[in-house]
Amino acid sequence: MSARSQPAGDEALMRAALAEARKGLGKTGPNPAVGAVISKNGKILSLGWHRGAGKPHAEIEALRNLKNRSLARGATLHVTLEPCSTHGRTPPCTGAIIQAGFARVVFGATDPNPKHAGRAKKILEDVGIQTLGGILGEECSLLNRAWNKWIATGLPFVTAKAGMSLDARIASPPDRRWITSEAARRDAMRLRAECGAVLVGAETVRTDNPQLTIRGLRVKEQPFRAVWSRSGHIPSDCHLLTDEHRDRTIVYKGKPLAAVLQDLGKRGVQHVLIEGGGKTLGEALDRRLIDRIVFYIAPVLLGGPTPALGGHGVPSNESALQLKNPTYRRIGPDLRVEGEIHP
């Protein structure tokens, strides 16, 4: 018997919806990534995920993927985020859910917008649809942590990424361009693809002449390439000012790093990836602007004066920033360390 034909409970069906939602990561901005599953008696009838702003939401995609629309009557809908209840670029999903005749709706995360939170549940229950929220709520919320922060504060979620040696150095010898392995760099490219902007300091541009583009992956558009600079001067012939994506480059002159992030948030950027160098990452750490770190650590010792994190540092061990639920994963010969910052 296939997994698709086996009866499943709420958590299993929500995990299927989460798998659908992950297909939309990096593709749906300024909307969240959402997945949906339609089932009867625990058996999956249809799947759907939101493919991009202005396109049908996950619930509508799942309805369209039914072999027969009448199968929705009396069925259960699992969706990773509380269904939308207001008219945006598309009509509210609550209306389509009611019209389709669902008997039960189960959602994971509640809408973080206080104007909308809990509204769908009331609308659906008022017409007799049994509604249950919070199933795998933490996992569903984590999927859209950048969107959640942006909706609540207008500020982007900030991930600090660095590839470094075992002794936390980021400047490789002249005859070695990369510190980490090709496998780690591929993983970092997928991380970049989830972000709306990549931010570096001007010194990184002058030293490395990076492209800061997404390569080898299909994306809706290239992220903004933000350069934080005191003087505003970067080489006129650098990739960021001359390549085909030069209109996606923004040079910030003499602005505090917090103001740079505020401006990116106003431009609709929900997730910023700070890729360095050490001065920029150190400033972000000192100013408590980092929400998450993803560090790739290669099993090499380099020494030298260029640390992965500069800045002033913390005054004591007690005031050190802690990682919340850190994860450690081996990628090729390297170690990937990830965790959210817990002040």
Side-chain angles (χ1 to χ4, degrees):
M1 183 182 291
S2 70
R4 200 177 169 90
S5 64
Q6 293 173 354
D10 284 334
E11 286 199 4
L13 290 164
M14 190 62 74
R15 291 198 187 282
L18 273 166
E20 288 295 295
R22 291 188 185 99
K23 296 176 182 178
L25 285 173
K27 303 172 184 175
T28 61
N31 291 353
V34 183
V37 172
I38 296 173
S39 67
K40 257 184 186 173
N41 301 319
K43 294 183 179 180
I44 293 176
L45 303 178
S46 178
L47 304 165
W49 58 281
H50 181 45
R51 296 170 183 269
K55 295 183 178 179
H57 288 188
E59 301 94 320
I60 309 306
E61 284 280 357
L63 279 168
R64 289 182 174 182
N65 290 334
L66 279 172
K67 292 181 179 179
N68 188 323
R69 188 70 172 260
S70 66
L71 292 172
R73 189 156 298 278
T76 296
L77 171 70
H78 284 75
V79 60
T80 54
L81 180 66
E82 177 182 358
C84 67
S85 55
T86 57
H87 201 300
R89 296 190 186 186
T90 59
C93 289
T94 48
I97 290 169
I98 294 168
Q99 185 178 13
F102 284 102
R104 185 169 179 259
V105 173
V106 180
F107 63 87
T110 300
D111 193 319
N113 188 330
K115 295 180 180 178
H116 302 157
R119 193 166 182 264
K121 181 175 173 65
K122 184 178 186 309
I123 289 172
L124 297 176
E125 288 183 342
D126 282 349
V127 296
I129 297 176
Q130 183 185 353
T131 309
L132 176 65
I135 299 299
L136 298 184
E138 187 173 348
E139 290 183 46
C140 291
S141 182
L142 190 64
L143 184 77
N144 288 304
R145 54 190 162 187
W147 182 75
N148 294 339
K149 180 183 177 182
W150 182 71
I151 286 291
T153 68
L155 295 172
F157 184 88
V158 177
T159 295
K161 170 256 174 182
M164 65 185 74
S165 63
L166 196 59
D167 52 341
R169 294 299 186 267
I170 58 174
S172 57
D175 62 342
R176 178 174 178 167
R177 182 180 179 188
W178 304 109
I179 297 173
T180 55
S181 65
E182 183 179 349
R185 297 197 300 276
R186 281 198 303 268
D187 188 82
M189 191 63 68
R190 287 190 287 270
L191 178 66
R192 187 183 284 179
E194 296 177 9
C195 299
V198 181
L199 189 150
V200 296
E203 188 59 33
T204 294
V205 178
R206 288 189 283 265
T207 303
D208 298 336
N209 190 20
Q211 298 179 58
L212 304 182
T213 54
I214 298 167
R215 300 177 293 279
L217 298 171
R218 292 181 62 184
V219 292
K220 185 175 68 172
E221 63 181 351
Q222 292 292 334
F224 283 111
R225 303 176 298 184
V227 182
W228 181 54
S229 172
R230 289 182 174 83
S231 67
H233 298 309
I234 59 175
S236 59
D237 60 348
C238 71
H239 291 306
L240 302 186
L241 297 180
T242 59
D243 68 12
E244 61 182 310
H245 307 297
R246 55 188 175 275
D247 61 329
R248 301 288 289 172
T249 299
I250 310 169
V251 179
Y252 291 97
K253 176 184 176 181
K255 285 183 175 291
L257 195 52
V260 171
L261 295 173
Q262 287 173 352
D263 181 75
L264 289 170
K266 290 177 181 177
R267 293 172 184 262
V269 174
Q270 301 169 15
H271 192 172
V272 172
L273 184 67
I274 300 182
E275 293 204 9
K279 290 181 181 178
T280 304
L281 287 171
E283 175 72 10
L285 185 71
D286 285 345
R287 301 295 178 187
R288 303 298 190 264
L289 301 175
I290 298 172
D291 297 298
R292 175 179 68 149
I293 64 102
V294 179
F295 289 168
Y296 300 89
I297 304 171
V300 297
L301 298 170
L302 296 178
T306 311
L309 287 170
H312 298 296
V314 297
S316 66
N317 286 344
E318 290 71 26
S319 58
L321 297 180
Q322 303 290 325
L323 290 187
K324 180 182 178 183
N325 299 324
T327 61
Y328 308 89
R329 177 160 57 95
R330 185 169 176 174
I331 300 180
D334 305 323
L335 180 67
R336 184 189 197 268
V337 181
E338 176 181 351
E340 292 196 15
I341 297 291
H342 183 68

